[in-house]
Amino acid sequence: MSAPIKTPKKLIEVALPLDAINVAAAREKSIRHGHPSTLHLWWARRPLAAARAVIFAQMVNDPGYERHLGRGVNKEKAAIERERLFKIIEDLVQWENTNNEEVLARARAEIWKSWRETCALNKGHPQAAELFNPDTLPAFHDPFAGGGALPLEAQRLGLESYASDLNPVAVTINKAMIEIPPRFAGRAPVGPRIPGDKQGKLAEDWSGAKGLAEDVRRYGAWMRAEAEKRIGHLYPKIEVTAEMVAERPDLKPLLGQKLTVIAWLWARTVKSPNPAFSHAEVPLASTFVLSTKAGKEAYVEPVVEGDSYRFTVKVGMPPEGAKNGTKFGRGANFGCLLSGMPIDPKHIKAEGMAGKIGQRLMAIVAEGVRGRVYLAPTSEHENMALEAQPDWKPHGTFVEDARAFTPHLYGLNEWSRLFTNRQLVGLTTLSGLVEEAVAACRHEAARDGSAGDLAGLENGGNGATAYAEAVGVYLALGVSKIADSGNALVSWKASMDQPIHLFTRQAIPMVWDFAEPNIFSGAMGDPMVTLKNIARVLDVLPAKGAAQALQQDSQSQSISAGKVISTDPPYYDNVPYADLSDFFYVWLRRSLRSVFKDLYATLAVPKTDELVAFAYRHDGSKIQAESFFLRGMTQAMHRLAEQSHPTYPVTIYYAFKQSDSDAGAGTSSTGWETFLEAVIRAGFVIAGTWPMRTELGNRMRGLSANALASSIVLVCRKREADAPTVSRREFIRELNAVLPEALMDMTRGGINSPVAPVDLSQAIIGPGMAIFSQYAAVLEADGKPMSVRTALQLINRFLAEDDFDHDTQFCLHWFEGQGWATGKYGEADVLARAKGTSVTGLTEAGVVESGKGDLRLLKWAEMPRDWNPETDTRVPVWEALHQMIRALNQDGETAAGALLARMPARAEPIRALAYRLYTLCERKGWAEDARAYNELITAWSGVERGASEAGHVGSQGSLDI
């Protein structure tokens, strides 16, 4: 048997400053300019702050680890050292410090320090030369790279970074973020300067990828100018005429001016179902409201003229009926504008499947002197759009899955049918110009003598051809981004006076009235606006160190060997990545097929091996879909367990979005359980679970839908090959020994900040599954292995087994069954006796109200404001908690703290009960009730400060708790 490798515990296995990470991750969502997410859309990206913190904590030794066998370290010194590491993380996660070299240098130094300590510990190991070179850090790999946040942040922390994914769109994004910029770092731009562009003239610092970014701007400007020469006539300006002013006096200041159109607003149409109007195409408009901005309100007014109609635009507050247009109810329920007759959804679907859904121009949005101007449609503008004829269309159909792709129900089942003809002309023109721009850039780069004309980008070149192709990658990503805003499923946001791109969520929904942005407007959808935003990202990317992005199947990849692993796999059946990304693939392939021949060899994104559990890929069978996911994910996780560097834990993200409620079982999810099953089957021990929230606030708005932590980070170690098997009884005995203390640490704070109630059911999984997963199997009484679902149920029980006084136990059980509703006195009397109390005592305690054969619990708002815990001879924890909530809500943290100072011995029971009640309300879906308990816990540090300032006025230590 070979000597064991000495693996010091890493910081992430012991402690994390969760609050700081969560706050920074939430704030990051509001950052746009220069954020890597603006390079190109990808679904369910991890926040950079969280990625950076996790990788750092994954690589840095915890100060409490045993430096030599049999010898520990001073706990107080370890705590001080942890605080120092926490401060580094707190600085590291700030958006302002993303490229702060002083902060990054401190982080890198700690990574190197821990690595060299680990190398020294294993100096005599037989694999020391292979695994422990103190002069070279292990490389990083993410086998489910997706949007690239994890590989990018590993690169920023100084690691050689590898990103792999089965999806070509994801691979292209990762190449653009981590592989291409370092290859051309420091190179000056070669393209012609943009006339009048001050940035191009002043920015002579071509460090990092700034030169590459400048060429993206320059060739982007050239593409835009060329496109306008060729197709600009399809995007005419609109002149404000005397006729318009006569109808709209507010337009008088604009008389005679030719305004740039921002967008054309269209409504889809179908033939009227009324035989008397069967010749007419009537609008399917979900709203006639154009703008709701104060003082700038505008709306469409349809004018019916006999058996026809026209649209005009009015300013001012829209009438009530304008809000819903011709739509009523949910789904495809509309009314005929001409006859008032309902239009059956079946009629609309039939028209759609026959290819008979049309479109009618409702309004034109133009750029005025002081903001957006809404104008009535003109025949010139409508005809110009309808007469456009593209010479190329993207081929292929998308999946007929009504959950995420509803347009197919109405005959829009091909990618080309998601665009108007004018949009197709615009996109094909721009994508064709990418190739021309690459040729021009290649010529200039060769003439400039940039390292000669070596191999192309796909073959590792860095000369003129490769550089020109690199510029082309960003130009192609820009065209692909324009497709997101330049399609016939773009909504108009009346409250913002602007169009909203297609992918506001992880689906392609049907849109009835849509906005068609002008690609030459200087606003959203304009190539120059899009490419300047992409260049901003390039300006601030690390652009240093070796990196590679490859197309690999996670089940068979071998890139992970000897590397640090952090990854964000697909979430069971939450996001149909491959099906969605075909939308972009068809455009990227048109521009990049000659650059990445292998990557874009297929007509669509590979789907057969994608690790998601969609029944429509398995003949509609959910069982087969789950089996496929479990088998494939187990294989992928097994490769990570076998290949990852032995001294580092593997970190795996999981978005816990879909949950069900099982009475007494805690929060559960088929996807979550199946994923955990795969991780454990693969040979991993789950050493910890860290809930990470990326939403501002406490996510209470989603409570009724069981929307818990945004994601969980699993910390995994490879299980010992000779791991034993234990019985259910032994497993429960171990849970009883470990989880109470773990739960106390989580709710009190311990070496971490306290876990919020919203995240507690996820956090407790860590220590519980650490026990379960360390064994080869936990056997039930019948000899069969215990399922993950059963283990989770046993672990979650610990959230409900706190001991409280008898009155509080009664209140807990009554609340679980009745909530705040009134119940029967007799039932209450029986329950009170069982809990060792009485209805009379509960009434005296001030927690219930009874009379006329009924009983109910008193709400916090009904608790007396002049309550005095020093003189109250019977103070259940239930009463103390709800008095604290009353004080917090009515008078603030200081008042709540002053009240707590008068009953210090009840502080911990109050907190424990608040957690317990939050968990109960979350299971029941009682969002408003849960809010009060969550808010008390999240305000607890402020309440404690208030208590400290007030001092211990009295002591409740002698009271029975």
Side-chain angles (χ1 to χ4, degrees):
M1 182 180 293
S2 61
I5 292 174
K6 296 176 182 177
T7 56
K9 272 193 173 182
K10 301 302 177 184
L11 183 64
I12 200 168
E13 296 176 278
V14 179
L16 274 183
L18 269 184
D19 281 352
I21 298 170
N22 287 338
V23 169
R27 178 171 173 257
E28 189 183 310
K29 295 190 77 173
S30 63
I31 305 295
R32 301 305 302 158
H33 295 313
H35 194 284
S37 64
T38 61
L39 181 71
H40 194 278
L41 184 143
W42 190 258
W43 303 271
R45 286 176 181 265
R46 292 304 96 212
L48 305 183
R52 203 152 53 239
V54 166
I55 295 170
F56 174 81
Q58 181 178 353
M59 298 194 70
V60 171
N61 294 339
D62 178 71
Y65 83 90
E66 293 186 353
R67 295 175 183 273
H68 305 286
L69 293 178
R71 295 180 61 183
V73 296
N74 182 282
K75 289 186 177 181
E76 291 184 5
K77 288 183 178 179
I80 294 171
E81 182 65 6
R82 277 194 201 99
E83 284 300 322
R84 186 182 68 82
L85 295 175
F86 278 13
K87 182 63 173 66
I88 292 176
I89 293 177
E90 289 163 5
D91 291 340
L92 197 61
V93 297
Q94 299 304 313
W95 170 253
E96 292 78 7
N97 292 335
T98 303
N99 285 315
N100 185 321
E101 278 303 317
E102 186 275 328
V103 172
L104 291 170
R106 280 192 282 135
R108 293 170 189 147
E110 290 299 330
I111 290 172
W112 273 103
K113 176 185 173 185
S114 292
W115 170 239
R116 286 177 173 144
E117 286 177 351
T118 302
C119 289
L121 281 173
N122 290 281
K123 191 172 183 180
H125 194 274
Q127 291 180 282
E130 176 188 350
L131 293 175
F132 301 103
N133 181 351
D135 298 320
T136 304
L137 282 173
F140 172 90
H141 179 222
D142 178 359
F144 296 98
L150 306 182
L152 176 67
E153 294 313 310
Q155 185 182 52
R156 205 185 305 274
L157 289 171
L159 304 180
E160 181 179 343
S161 190
Y162 290 81
S164 63
D165 203 294
L166 182 63
N167 193 307
V169 177
V171 175
T172 304
I173 293 171
N174 278 274
K175 283 181 178 292
M177 287 209 300
I178 68 168
E179 181 181 307
I180 294 174
R183 195 185 299 186
F184 303 103
R187 184 172 294 193
V190 299
R193 292 183 186 274
I194 303 171
D197 182 29
K198 294 181 180 179
Q199 182 172 1
K201 293 179 180 178
L202 298 176
E204 298 300 330
D205 170 18
W206 306 124
S207 61
K210 292 185 176 68
L212 182 61
E214 179 60 20
D215 265 337
V216 171
R217 292 185 191 94
R218 293 181 182 185
Y219 283 102
W222 175 85
M223 277 176 55
R224 202 254 194 206
E226 281 297 309
E228 192 164 21
K229 289 178 189 176
R230 300 177 192 186
I231 61 171
H233 63 280
L234 294 176
Y235 300 84
K237 292 188 176 184
I238 184 165
E239 182 177 354
V240 179
T241 65
E243 290 79 9
M244 291 181 183
V245 173
E247 191 171 330
R248 289 262 306 277
D250 63 292
L251 296 175
K252 189 174 181 179
L254 301 172
L255 178 62
Q257 293 187 29
K258 292 186 176 181
L259 307 180
T260 298
V261 175
I262 298 299
W264 293 269
L265 307 185
W266 300 84
R268 300 188 198 278
T269 61
V270 294
K271 183 181 291 187
S272 171
N274 189 316
F277 300 95
S278 59
H279 64 283
E281 298 288 326
V282 292
L284 307 175
S286 59
T287 183
F288 285 138
V289 177
L290 300 174
S291 176
T292 58
K293 283 192 172 182
K296 297 182 179 180
E297 295 87 354
Y299 60 96
V300 171
E301 183 177 82
V303 179
V304 177
E305 298 171 331
D307 60 356
S308 65
Y309 65 93
R310 62 183 174 88
F311 292 120
T312 187
V313 170
K314 300 288 186 180
V315 293
M317 290 297 294
E320 185 62 30
K323 182 178 180 181
N324 297 322
T326 61
K327 194 175 192 298
F328 59 90
R330 299 182 61 187
N333 285 286
F334 293 87
C336 175
L337 182 64
L338 298 177
S339 67
M341 178 179 178
I343 305 176
D344 193 301
K346 293 180 181 178
H347 174 71
I348 298 174
K349 289 179 180 179
E351 290 283 282
M353 297 307 290
K356 294 181 180 179
I357 288 183
Q359 61 191 59
R360 180 86 176 257
L361 187 59
M362 284 199 305
I364 297 173
V365 190
E367 193 64 70
V369 178
R370 296 180 180 177
R372 303 285 157 87
V373 178
Y374 294 88
L375 303 171
T378 69
S379 57
E380 175 200 358
H381 278 256
E382 187 162 32
N383 293 335
M384 185 66 73
L386 298 178
E387 290 171 4
Q389 291 299 319
D391 56 13
W392 183 88
K393 295 181 180 181
H395 297 291
T397 59
F398 51 85
V399 63
E400 296 186 359
D401 171 42
R403 189 178 76 163
F405 301 86
T406 52
H408 79 87
L409 298 172
Y410 308 96
L412 305 182
N413 59 353
E414 297 181 6
W415 296 116
S416 61
R417 300 195 67 183
L418 300 185
F419 303 86
T420 68
N421 278 347
R422 179 162 55 186
Q423 288 172 331
L424 289 172
V425 170
L427 287 166
T428 53
T429 300
L430 290 170
S431 59
L433 282 167
V434 170
E435 192 172 350
E436 294 183 39
V438 169
C441 183
R442 183 190 299 114
H443 174 76
E444 291 299 323
R447 193 163 64 89
D448 185 62
S450 300
D453 192 7
L454 303 177
L457 199 59
E458 188 171 52
N459 297 318
N462 63 355
T465 296
Y467 181 74
E469 290 178 345
V471 172
V473 168
Y474 299 100
L475 299 179
L477 287 171
V479 175
S480 181
K481 282 191 70 177
I482 292 169
D484 184 25
S485 58
N487 62 78
L489 296 170
V490 167
S491 301
W492 181 257
K493 188 79 168 178
S495 62
M496 300 171 65
D497 277 353
Q498 69 181 42
I500 302 297
H501 61 96
L502 165 59
F503 287 108
T504 56
R505 58 190 181 94
Q506 298 150 0
I508 297 180
M510 185 60 179
V511 174
W512 297 106
D513 41 288
F514 63 91
E516 181 189 7
N518 179 0
I519 64 172
F520 302 118
S521 67
M524 187 177 95
D526 188 303
M528 205 58 239
V529 173
T530 302
L531 290 167
K532 279 185 176 179
N533 286 334
I534 287 176
R536 281 178 172 177
V537 177
L538 270 172
D539 280 333
V540 296
L541 288 178
K544 61 174 64 174
Q548 194 172 3
L550 310 98
Q551 185 181 28
Q552 291 281 331
D553 178 10
S554 60
Q555 299 175 66
S556 57
Q557 59 83 19
S558 58
I559 308 169
S560 294
K563 294 181 176 64
V564 181
I565 308 297
S566 185
T567 192
D568 183 19
Y571 306 142
Y572 194 66
D573 64 351
N574 279 4
V575 183
Y577 296 99
D579 294 312
L580 291 172
S581 56
D582 269 340
F583 177 89
F584 296 116
Y585 182 86
V586 294
W587 294 107
L588 288 169
R589 185 173 187 265
R590 176 170 163 81
S591 300
L592 297 178
R593 189 180 178 187
S594 61
V595 177
F596 300 122
K597 298 180 182 65
D598 293 338
L599 195 58
Y600 289 95
T602 56
L603 293 175
V605 172
K607 299 175 182 66
T608 303
D609 295 324
E610 185 186 29
L611 290 181
V612 288
F614 290 111
Y616 62 76
R617 293 193 187 168
H618 301 274
D619 298 323
S621 171
K622 290 184 178 181
I623 294 175
Q624 289 182 29
E626 181 174 333
S627 176
F628 167 81
F629 178 84
L630 178 58
R631 184 172 59 251
M633 191 58 72
T634 300
Q635 176 62 21
M637 293 295 116
H638 178 74
R639 296 195 75 78
L640 299 187
E642 290 298 315
Q643 296 179 27
S644 64
H645 197 286
T647 61
Y648 293 104
V650 171
T651 54
I652 306 169
Y653 293 76
Y654 189 87
F656 195 77
K657 294 180 180 178
Q658 294 178 316
S659 62
D660 309 306
S661 291
D662 255 357
T667 302
S668 63
S669 160
T670 301
W672 174 229
E673 293 163 6
T674 307
F675 184 78
L676 282 179
E677 188 82 49
V679 171
I680 294 169
R681 280 191 190 183
F684 275 125
V685 173
I686 297 172
T689 53
W690 296 101
M692 291 197 174
R693 285 174 281 119
T694 59
E695 300 267 353
L696 289 169
N698 297 314
R699 292 185 55 82
M700 294 303 297
R701 61 180 176 79
L703 179 65
S704 60
N706 282 321
L708 304 178
S710 292
S711 59
I712 301 172
V713 178
L714 300 176
V715 183
C716 305
R717 288 279 190 181
K718 185 179 178 181
R719 187 166 51 246
E720 296 294 334
D722 57 351
T725 297
V726 297
S727 68
R728 177 189 177 104
R729 180 177 297 178
E730 290 170 305
F731 172 55
I732 293 175
R733 186 183 302 129
E734 210 165 338
L735 288 180
N736 288 332
V738 173
L739 290 198
E741 184 176 351
L743 188 61
M744 188 71 74
D745 283 342
M746 288 176 189
T747 55
R748 280 182 174 175
I751 57 177
N752 299 288
S753 52
V755 176
V758 72
D759 296 331
L760 192 61
S761 59
Q762 279 71 53
I764 195 66
I765 290 170
M769 293 307 295
I771 298 170
F772 179 77
S773 59
Q774 70 180 318
Y775 296 113
V778 174
L779 301 181
E780 298 280 17
D782 61 2
K784 294 180 180 178
M786 178 182 290
S787 69
V788 166
R789 182 178 180 83
T790 299
L792 287 173
Q793 290 173 351
L794 291 171
I795 292 165
N796 270 290
R797 279 174 41 200
F798 282 83
L799 295 177
E801 291 188 353
D802 302 295
D803 290 327
F804 297 108
D805 57 84
H806 299 306
D807 290 347
T808 298
Q809 288 184 35
F810 168 88
C811 293
L812 264 171
H813 282 76
W814 185 263
F815 184 68
E816 185 169 9
Q818 297 283 347
W820 302 112
T822 299
K824 294 180 179 179
Y825 181 95
E827 294 177 1
D829 183 54
V830 171
L831 178 62
R833 293 174 187 275
K835 295 300 179 185
T837 184
S838 66
V839 172
T840 301
L842 291 162
T843 305
E844 292 174 355
V847 293
V848 303
E849 179 184 80
S850 65
K852 298 182 179 179
D854 295 326
L855 180 141
R856 69 178 182 87
L857 294 171
L858 292 174
K859 297 181 179 180
W860 62 262
E862 298 175 286
M863 298 282 182
R865 194 173 188 131
D866 60 351
W867 180 67
N868 188 338
E870 288 97 347
T871 59
D872 192 337
T873 58
R874 186 166 182 155
V875 184
V877 176
W878 182 277
E879 181 183 25
L881 166 64
H882 290 86
Q883 283 285 1
M884 287 285 294
I885 293 172
R886 178 201 56 74
L888 178 66
N889 279 276
Q890 293 177 351
D891 303 308
E893 291 181 1
T894 301
L899 185 59
L900 183 65
R902 297 161 66 185
M903 45 181 184
R906 296 192 178 275
E908 286 308 316
I910 288 170
R911 280 167 53 83
L913 182 58
Y915 274 98
R916 169 74 175 86
L917 285 169
Y918 173 84
T919 304
L920 171 62
C921 291
E922 182 269 325
R923 290 175 186 165
K924 296 279 191 178
W926 298 342
E928 288 304 313
D929 292 325
R931 186 187 303 277
Y933 304 117
N934 190 66
E935 287 177 349
L936 177 64
I937 295 301
T938 53
W940 194 260
S941 58
V943 172
E944 285 189 321
R945 281 194 299 272
S948 179
E949 291 168 2
H952 289 186
V953 176
S955 173
Q956 295 292 310
S958 62
L959 295 177
D960 175 26
I961 62 171

